[in-house]
Amino acid sequence: MNERILKVLEFKKIMEQLIEQTASSLGSEKVHALKPSSDLDQVVRWQDETDEAYHIIRLKGNVPLGGIFDIKPSVKRAVIGSTLNAHECLDVASTIYGGKQLKYFITNLEDIDMPILEELIEEIVPLNELEREIKNCIDDHGHIMDGASDKLRGLRTKIRTSENRLRDRLDQYTRTKAKMLSDAIITIRNDRYVLPVKQEYRGAIGGIVHDQSSSGQTLFMEPQAVVELNNQLQEARVEEKREIDRILKELTERIAEDEAFIMQNVEVLAKIDFIFARAKLSHKMKASRPKMNNEGIIKMKQARHPLIAREEVVANDVELGEDFTAIVITGPNTGGKTVTLKMVGLCTLMAQSGLHVPALDGCELAVFSNVFADIGDEQSIEQSLSTFSSHMTNIVDILDQFDTNSLLLFDELGAGTDPQEGAALAMSILDHVIAKQARVIATTHYPELKAYGYNREGVINASVEFDIQTLQPTYRLLIGVPGRSNAFEISRRLGLQEAIIEEAKELIGADSKDVENMIASLEDSRRRAELDYDDAHRLLEEAAQVKQDIEKQWRQFEQERETLYKKAEEKAEKAVVKAREEAEAIVEKLRQTETQSELKEHEWIEAKKRLSAANPELTKKEKQAQRPLDEDKAKTLKPGDEVKLLTLDQKGTIIEQTGKQEFQVQVGIMKLKAKRKDLLFIRREEQQTEKPLATIRGSQYHVKPELDLRGERYEEAMGRLEKYIDDALLAGYNKVSVIHGKGTGALRKGVKDFARKHSKIANARDGEMGEGGLGVTVFELK
């Protein structure tokens, strides 16, 4: 993309907005270097980067990018042997800390898919030792602290002591010789403590004159008695500066040692700042990510010009590249034709720069090798070029450079010359461009081009709507409908005599009348279709709302009915349980009587059967919940199987099979014969082999007693865990271990939540010291 095109389409203004969103000069440098790319893979990656950052901003609101500086010049100076000042060293420490904060923030984000940012953030090296050394020597204001070295602490103690002695000595002068002083204060001149002495008392005070007032009436004198004290103070300060220089030199050498890591961190931080600046601009514009292609297809719904305020701009739908490769837009001046051209061109450049575009979700844009534009009056007085010559110069350059994978934007094609010749030239240029299958959008006033779209394959007419009632453009783009002249209607609205208008209509050709009538009919049909669509859409929304309300009411009815059933059953069951308890108490009492021997066993069984029959019928859901889980094993009973005798509501054990559908059952101290239909299988004792095998549809495979999920993404790990538990249950395990590691704790929490929701997991606990500790969760299976 050449600079002229970027200027014509106002791409520089987008870059200015992007710079405002950067958090540091590092990001601003990246913006200044930004150029639209014609590489589809590169553009898609840029869009992925922006999209990842956009999701973080949408969910978190902001990103910690403060405290990051462009320290590259300082680091380079450190490498060549220069000594950095305290503020430069502090900027290095601040940038290291900013990188650490950003890395911690992104690393601890959960439930956000951001592979690109995670890969970038891994490249940041946390130079903790270097940061600590700098922070231990320099405070937040850029001052070297006393604790930077023992020698510096001693020197500053000495300086403070000397200053106190000096002040005490000079305070004696201010108290005893106040009349000789212009003011009873101690001041500093040439880094030495002095007194403001009146001119006439110069000899009385004695000492060294360092300065005088503008009037000459006051001399700033250093009394002879404090000269030696001032000298000692100056010597201590020189020593202090020498020690500070030594400390800064050591810090500079440490920075030079880590130059490679620091530069790497700075480059990563610059990229991340640039990525989040793009995301912030997208959030500010209410933009969306375009799907990119290299097939020249443009599909934008409710697209807006990025540089026009959202509350002022009119959104339009634009499609190009599938059914047609060229759009010819006609319509009145100031109707929005040029804005539409610039909007398509500018959105294309933004998308090819990794920026989102202001349109609805699902928009699609192409990656073009070049975008060419001839927009506006670029007449050059110095070159003595007319409007037509200026446009034609640009068009000649465009026609020499464009190829099949180019987007061409022509504003007022063929304008500035004889209408017939201009129209013929415009059609010829369009034919040449369309023949090469390039994508082109052109605006024009020529009526001859209104019929152009009907006579050329791959071309469609479009127009910008004009409201005859208000005599104002609506700025709506109507694809498929050519613009028509509104001169007669506008003249009538402005009060021109009807006779004059009718005479004018007679003077225009029949072909022109037919075209105008056809366009008017198309506009009317389109308007009626839009109204019908709005009505249909409204009815559809109302129907969807009614359906939603009915479904909600039905769910409430089902819940209420289920609740009433359950309450009734619970009440009935309580009554039956109470009756059974009373009956069993009576039976037990009878067993203990002397007449017990007269009672027959079958009479006991019959009594039990009558009691069991009094149980209430449960709801279908509860019955299903009480059905045995292992129906396959229940089909065939074997000696040793634990069963439930339904007629007695008692558990027992199969002794042997006495008939085809008859079994002898041990129930307590009794041995009974029972039919198969009266027995419900409960469980069977089985010996597990050393390596359990699960059998599914005849195929066998080995299931390990542990599952390792370390290093897996959250969604994949949960999928593997669910399948593994199914396999472990089929294999007959009573206990399994899930290795998830400690890490951020997200995977461990997911495993715990999974265990709570799974009906076949009886218990979940952390591993013990010999089992892996908090990095392992042990499941006990039912």
Side-chain angles (χ1 to χ4, degrees), residues 114 203 302 483 538 693 760 776:
M114 46 181 181
Q302 297 299 289
R538 178 178 52 78
L693 295 173
K760 290 298 182 181
V776 174

Side-chain angles (χ1 to χ4, degrees), residues 93 96-97 100 127-135:
I96 294 172
Y97 177 75
K100 283 167 46 182
L127 301 169
N128 296 322
E129 186 177 345
L130 176 58
E131 179 198 357
R132 186 165 52 251
E133 288 181 19
I134 296 174
K135 291 291 184 72

Side-chain angles (χ1 to χ4, degrees), residues 435-449:
K436 282 195 175 183
Q437 292 296 304
R439 303 310 188 247
V440 58
I441 304 177
T443 68
T444 182
H445 278 302
Y446 295 135
E448 290 85 351
L449 267 72

